[in-house]
Amino acid sequence: MKSIVVANWKMHPATFKEAKQLFEATKKAAEKAKGVSVIVAPPAIYLREIVKLYKGRRVAFAMQDGNAEAVGACTGEISIAQGKDSKAGYVIIAHAERRSMGETNDGARRKVSAALNSKMTPVLCVGEASRDGTGEHFNFIKEQLRIGLADVTAPKVSQVIIAYEPVWAIGATRPMEAHDMHEMAIFIRKSIVETHGKDGMNMKILYGGSIDETNAAGMLRDGDIAGFLVGRASTEATKCAALIHSLSEA
Ligand code: 13P
């Protein structure tokens, strides 16, 4: 099965020298693997230099976040337009760690639009903090999708990638169960069909949370997903290569 791996390096590594080494290992694994599209999301300060190191076609690049305004008086911010100028083709939007630092559904909505306007692919992250057995988390996800996608027209909706990352599975010891992911993937598509029509059926959905080389293939097979948003396992060269290899088509 074809798959997508978004390597979300978060705030790693500490030096550009290490970033180059990690990228080299990631690139090598990506080029050997069949059917795996790798998208590297480095810290923004490394992005342009890393892009320059790469001449091939198997790896693409993402921003980890981006401001919806192209320019402005926003000390410390980096705009989606600037990311595009640095050759990022994707932008991760409203990651759980950004939400915990104040990102809102409305902020996500503006960023999704800005990414599409810049001809970049938005990777809109959704995910509940916890589950209590009442099914309330489904309403929570539906609301994140409804607002995050509110400015996207129906014909464009399948250009957005949805990353489902339950907060309780991020940085944990194991991912969620594949059959629970499958159920959530169906729910996500159904919710988007309700707001945007039948193209919602074609949404690419990624799973994120404690994915590594031991569990990715099973999740891809049974989770009804197109691939992964990976944190820790993407920041260690050997683990990242093993993960990509584990998804390579035979
Ligand atoms: P981990 O893979 O470290 O659990 O992180 C998941 C994540 O947040 C990817 O964006």
Side-chain angles (χ1 to χ4, degrees), residues 37-220:
S37 303
V38 176
I39 301 166
V40 176
I45 198 161
Y46 301 149
L47 176 64
R48 185 180 288 271
E49 288 296 317
I50 299 242
V51 169
K52 266 200 228 154
L53 295 172
Y54 188 61
K55 302 274 178 278
R57 302 173 57 96
R58 299 296 292 272
V59 180
F61 299 90
M63 303 178 79
Q64 296 180 7
D65 185 22
N67 196 293
E69 299 299 327
V71 292
C74 301
T75 303
E77 287 285 279
I78 295 162
S79 74
I80 288 173
Q82 289 164 339
K84 167 80 175 180
D85 185 63
S86 301
K87 307 285 188 286
Y90 296 75
V91 50
I92 299 172
I93 292 171
H95 187 278
E97 289 151 16
R98 300 304 319 171
R99 289 184 187 266
S100 78
M101 289 181 247
E103 181 66 282
T104 61
N105 285 333
D106 255 336
R109 171 179 61 78
R110 286 191 292 272
K111 291 177 181 189
V112 167
S113 274
L116 290 172
N117 289 338
S118 288
K119 307 229 169 330
M120 292 163 81
T121 301
V123 180
L124 173 63
C125 301
V126 297
E128 76 283 0
S130 59
R131 293 186 173 196
D132 62 6
T134 66
E136 183 53 31
H137 61 281
F138 285 112
N139 292 333
F140 187 82
I141 299 303
K142 194 170 187 157
E143 191 67 355
Q144 287 185 326
L145 291 168
R146 188 182 67 78
I147 303 176
L149 297 173
D151 291 348
V152 181
T153 59
K156 284 209 170 150
V157 77
S158 58
Q159 293 174 25
V160 180
I161 295 178
I162 304 297
Y164 175 68
E165 294 204 312
V167 178
W168 46 269
I170 298 175
T173 48
R174 69 176 104 88
M176 76 189 292
E177 296 295 331
H179 65 261
D180 291 334
M181 181 61 239
H182 190 154
E183 177 185 52
M184 182 52 77
I186 292 169
F187 179 78
I188 289 171
R189 287 199 195 89
K190 190 173 146 265
S191 300
I192 300 176
V193 167
E194 280 175 23
T195 51
H196 288 77
K198 62 177 179 2
D199 284 359
M201 283 311 290
N202 305 324
M203 299 304 291
K204 283 200 176 91
I205 301 171
L206 308 181
Y207 166 78
S210 303
I211 281 296
D212 64 20
E213 74 282 7
T214 66
N215 52 40
M219 183 64 103
L220 184 70

Side-chain angles (χ1 to χ4, degrees), residues 7-16 18-19 22 41-46 64-65 92 95 97-98 101 230-232 234-235:
N8 179 11
W9 291 1
K10 306 190 178 182
M11 202 168 67
H12 298 277
T15 64
F16 183 61
E18 293 165 283
L22 178 58
I45 198 161
Y46 301 149
Q64 296 180 7
D65 185 22
I92 299 172
H95 187 278
E97 289 151 16
R98 300 304 319 171
M101 289 181 247
V230 185
R232 284 160 297 167
S234 76
T235 63

